[in-house]
C-alpha cells in the first residue's frame, strides 16, 4: 500500500487529507488539532515510506490560499483597531518577535544546534506555518534536497507550542482566580439579546430620526414610526422629528431602556396586524455587499434594517455598518414589497454557493506577486514575503477596502472558511511528506529532545511576556492578554481552547488585533533567524 501511495501522489494526498481531518475532529481534554492533524498524518506516511511525496506546487498554493482569505477576514478589524490601541499592540508584537529571534539565535548557537532544524524549531515554537514555509522556500533555492530539515524542527516543536500557551492560560486563570464573565462584561463584550420597544419622544427632542442614537447616547436604531396602533411606516433617518412622535426602537434591553429614559416615555406597541412586517433575508447580491447601510438608501427601496447577523454575531447597525455577502439581515418592510426587497438583497443560497472566484484569483495573484519581490539585506542577501507573507498583506488591504468599483473582494462567510481550511490542509500535507526521511532519523536521535525542550521554552517565554506586559502596561484583562498570546501563535487550536474556557469574546478581541501583525512578523522573523544562522 505504501508503494502504491508513492506512485500515486494524488491518491496519497486525498487519503492524508481524509485521515488527518478525521483525527483533527477528535477532542481530548477540550482540545482538538483541527487541520493541523494533517501534518502528522503526512509525516507518519512519509516516515514509513520517504518515497511518498506531494509536489511542492500543491503546498505553495495551499498556503497562499490559506493566508489570503485570513487577510480578507482580519483586514477590517485590524485597521479599525489600529488607530486606537492596535498600534500599541503592534509595536509590542514587533519588539517581542525581535527579542525571540535574538533568544533563539543565542540558544541555537550556544547548544550547537543545526541551523536549518533550529530555524524550523523556532517557527514551530510559535506555530508559524507560513514562517516555516518561508524558510523552506529559501532552502529550496539553495539546496532542494534539504527542504525537509526545517519541517523536522517545526514538527518537533509544534505540539509544545500548542500545549505551552494553553498551560499558561489555564494555570494563570486558576492562580489569578479570573472571573471570565465579569471581565467581559466590564469590557462591554457580553452580547445581550436584542429587543424592541416603543417610545414617545419628549417635545424638547429635535432633529432627525437618524439622530436618535446620538441624542440618546445608545447603540439603537429606530425602525418604525407609529402613527396609530394599526398604522406603522418606515422610520426614514432623514425624516424630521415632530412633537410627540412615537417610534419603535431596536437594541439591547439595557440600551433601549436607557434610550427611552433619555428620549421620552415608553409606549406599549404591537406589531401584529400593522402595515409593516419583519422578515430575515440573506445578502447574496454582489452589488450590495461591501457597501455601508447609509450607501444603500434602504428607505428608498422600501425597507429598514433592524439587525444584522454576521457569522454568529448579531448587531444593531448604524449608517456606517458594512454589509457582507452571506449576512443575515432582519428587515422591516411592507408586505407588498417583500419580493422587491428580496430581489434587491439577493436572498439566494444558490448565488452564495456559486462563488465568483475572479476577485479571489485577482487578489491571490497580487499577493503572490508581492511575495516574489526580493527585499535586499545587508551583506548582499535578500529575503521576501514569499507565498505566505505577500498574500496576507494584500488580503488585509483588500479585506479592509471590501470593494473596488464593481469588484467585491469579500467572500461569503462559508466560502471563506472552506477555502481557509482546504488551503491549510493542502499545505500541511505537502510539507509533511517532504520531511518524512529526516523525521524518521529525528525520532531515533536523542538530540530531538533538545529541540523539543528549546521550542517549548520559547513558547512559554512568549506567552508569559504577553501576559505580564499586556496586563501591567496595557491594562488588559487576563483573557484578552491570553488572546494576544494566542494571536502571537496564530494557532486556531489555542484560540478555540480559550473561547471554550472563557465563554466570552474577550480572547477573540486580543487575537484579532494582533493576528495580522504576528502572521506577517513571524514570516519575516523566521527568515531573519535563518539568515543570521
Amino acid at each position: 500500500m505504501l508503494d502504491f501511495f508513492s506512485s500515486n501522489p494524488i491518491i496519497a494526498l486525498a487519503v492524508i487529507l481524509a485521515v488527518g481531518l478525521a483525527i483533527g475532529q477528535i477532542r481530548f481534554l477540550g482540545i482538538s488539532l483541527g487541520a493541523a492533524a494533517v501534518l502528522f498524518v503526512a509525516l507518519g506516511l512519509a516516515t514509513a515510506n520517504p518515497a511518498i511525496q506531494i509536489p511542492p506546487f500543491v503546498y505553495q498554493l495551499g498556503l497562499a490560499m490559506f493566508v489570503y482569505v485570513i487577510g480578507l477576514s482580519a483586514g477590517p478589524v485590524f485597521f479599525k483597531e489600529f488607530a486606537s490601541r492596535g498600534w500599541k499592540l503592534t509595536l509590542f508584537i514587533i519588539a517581542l518577535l525581535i527579542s525571540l529571534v535574538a533568544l533563539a539565535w543565542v540558544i541555537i548557537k550556544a547548544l550547537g544546534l543545526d541551523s536549518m532544524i533550529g530555524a524550523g524549531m523556532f517557527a514551530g515554537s510559535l506555530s508559524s506555518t507560513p514562517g516555516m514555509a518561508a524558510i523552506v522556500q529559501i532552502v529550496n533555492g539553495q539546496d532542494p534536497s534539504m527542504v525537509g530539515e526545517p519541517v523536522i524542527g517545526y514538527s518537533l516543536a509544534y505540539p509544545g507550542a500548542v500545549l505551552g500557551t494553553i498551560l499558561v492560560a489555564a494555570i494563570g486563570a486558576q492562580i489569578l482566580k479570573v472571573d471570565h464573565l465579569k471581565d467581559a462584561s466590564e469590557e462591554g463584550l457580553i452580547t445581550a439579546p436584542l429587543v424592541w420597544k416603543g417610545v414617545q419622544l419628549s417635545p424638547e427632542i429635535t432633529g432627525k430620526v437618524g439622530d436618535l442614537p446620538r441624542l440618546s447616547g445608545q447603540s439603537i436604531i429606530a425602525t418604525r414610526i407609529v402613527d396609530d396602533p394599526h398604522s406603522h411606516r418606515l422610520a426614514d433617518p432623514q425624516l424630521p422629528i415632530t412633537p410627540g412622535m412615537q417610534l419603535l426602537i431596536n437594541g439591547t434591553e439595557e440600551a433601549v431602556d436607557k434610550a427611552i429614559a433619555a428620549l421620552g416615555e415608553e409606549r406599549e406597541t404591537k406589531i401584529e396586524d400593522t402595515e409593516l412586517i419583519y422578515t430575515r433575508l440573506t445578502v447574496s447580491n454582489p452589488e450590495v455587499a461591501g457597501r455601508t447601510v447609509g450607501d444603500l438608501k434602504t428607505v428608498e427601496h422600501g425597507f429598514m434594517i433592524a439587525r444584522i447577523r454576521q457569522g454568529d454575531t448579531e448587531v444593531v447597525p448604524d449608517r456606517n455598518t458594512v454589509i457582507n455577502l452571506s449576512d443575515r439581515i432582519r428587515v422591516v418592510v411592507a408586505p407588498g414589497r417583500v419580493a422587491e426587497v428580496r430581489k434587491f438583497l439577493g436572498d439566494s443560497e444558490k448565488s452564495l454557493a456559486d462563488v465568483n472566484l475572479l476577485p479571489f484569483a485577482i487578489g491571490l495573484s497580487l499577493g503572490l506577486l508581492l511575495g516574489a519581490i526580493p527585499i535586499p539585506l545587508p551583506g548582499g542577501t535578500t529575503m521576501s514575503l514569499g507565498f505566505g507573507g505577500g498574500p496576507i498583506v494584500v488580503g488585509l488591504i483588500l479585506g479592509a477596502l471590501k470593494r473596488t468599483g464593481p469588484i467585491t473582494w469579500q467572500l461569503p462567510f462559508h466560502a471563506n472558511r472552506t477555502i481557509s481550511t482546504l488551503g491549510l490542509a493542502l499545505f500541511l500535507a505537502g510539507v509533511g511528506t517532504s520531511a518524512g526521511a529526516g523525521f524518521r532519523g529525528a525520532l531515533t536521535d536523542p538530540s530531538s529532545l533538545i529541540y523539543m525542550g528549546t521550542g517549548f521554552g520559547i513558547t512559554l517565554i512568549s506567552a508569559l511576556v504577553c501576559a505580564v506586559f499586556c496586563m501591567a502596561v496595557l491594562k488588559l484583562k487576563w483573557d484578552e492578554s491570553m488572546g494576544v498570546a494566542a494571536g502571537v501563535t496564530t494557532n486556531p487550536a489555542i484560540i478555540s481552547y480559550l473561547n471554550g474556557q472563557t465563554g466570552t469574546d474577550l480572547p477573540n478581541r486580543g487575537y484579532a488585533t494582533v493576528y495580522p501583525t504576528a502572521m506577517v512578523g513571524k514570516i519575516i522573523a523566521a527568515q531573519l533567524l535563518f539568515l543570521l544562522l
Side-chain angles (χ1 to χ4, degrees), residues 121-144:
M121 173 210 67
F122 173 76
S125 69
L126 300 177
S127 71
S128 176
T129 304
M132 183 261 287
I135 299 171
V136 169
Q137 190 173 12
I138 296 175
V139 174
N140 189 56
Q142 297 176 351
D143 186 356

Side-chain angles (χ1 to χ4, degrees), residues 187-487:
E187 292 295 313
L189 291 181
I190 295 294
T191 304
L194 300 181
V195 301
W196 54 264
K197 293 183 180 181
V199 60
Q200 185 169 10
L201 302 181
S202 301
E204 61 269 19
I205 301 298
T206 59
K208 297 180 179 180
V209 172
D211 296 331
L212 292 178
R214 176 179 58 81
L215 295 171
S216 66
Q218 301 298 319
S219 180
I220 59 166
I221 185 170
T223 54
R224 302 178 181 219
I225 297 174
V226 182
D227 294 321
D228 63 59
H230 302 289
S231 178
H232 295 181
R233 55 195 170 101
L234 294 176
D236 187 341
Q238 299 304 315
L239 286 176
I241 293 172
T242 58
M245 177 180 278
Q246 187 173 335
L247 303 108
L248 197 70
I249 58 176
N250 287 252
T252 64
E253 187 162 16
E254 181 182 5
V256 168
D257 288 343
K258 288 183 178 179
I260 291 174
L263 298 174
E265 298 181 356
E266 182 175 352
R267 289 288 182 266
E268 182 179 355
T269 305
K270 296 183 178 180
I271 62 173
E272 298 84 1
D273 302 321
T274 66
E275 297 175 356
L276 297 175
I277 62 171
Y278 278 117
T279 188
R280 195 179 287 274
L281 303 172
T282 303
V283 177
S284 63
N285 182 359
E287 295 301 318
V288 170
R291 300 189 187 279
T292 65
V293 172
D295 290 337
L296 295 181
K297 297 181 173 56
T298 58
V299 176
E300 294 180 12
H301 293 279
F303 71 100
M304 285 285 296
I305 297 177
R307 305 175 186 180
I308 300 176
R309 187 174 181 84
Q310 299 177 329
D312 291 334
T313 303
E314 195 166 48
V315 298
V316 174
D318 58 38
R319 62 176 290 104
N320 296 315
T321 302
V322 177
I323 306 296
N324 298 311
L325 287 171
S326 75
D327 282 357
R328 295 277 290 162
I329 296 182
R330 192 178 189 193
V331 300
V332 184
V333 59
R337 302 194 69 176
V338 172
E340 177 186 341
V341 175
R342 176 174 286 113
K343 181 179 180 182
F344 177 74
L345 294 176
D347 197 38
S348 171
E349 294 295 336
K350 182 177 183 298
S351 296
L352 290 174
D354 295 334
V355 180
N356 179 11
L357 291 177
L358 177 59
F360 171 78
I362 294 173
L364 187 62
S365 299
L366 292 174
L368 290 169
L369 289 172
L370 176 63
I373 298 174
I375 302 172
L377 296 175
T381 59
T382 63
M383 62 180 291
S384 66
L385 292 176
F387 45 79
I392 195 174
V393 170
V394 171
L396 286 169
I397 296 171
L398 297 182
L401 290 176
K402 292 188 179 289
R403 68 181 300 130
T404 305
I407 300 177
T408 302
W409 300 111
Q410 288 288 347
L411 289 164
F413 179 79
H414 297 94
N416 184 297
R417 298 298 294 271
T418 300
I419 292 174
S420 173
T421 302
L422 176 61
L424 178 59
L426 288 174
F427 172 75
L428 294 174
V431 297
T433 58
S434 70
F439 194 69
R440 174 190 288 180
L443 291 177
T444 59
D445 187 351
S447 66
S448 295
L449 295 175
I450 299 176
Y451 291 101
M452 296 172 68
T454 302
F456 188 67
I458 293 173
T459 298
L460 290 179
I461 291 171
S462 173
L464 290 170
V465 170
C466 285
V468 172
F469 182 86
C470 290
M471 294 187 71
V473 179
L474 299 181
K475 307 302 180 184
L476 304 184
K477 302 291 187 181
W478 172 260
D479 289 340
E480 187 168 7
S481 299
M482 286 297 94
V484 171

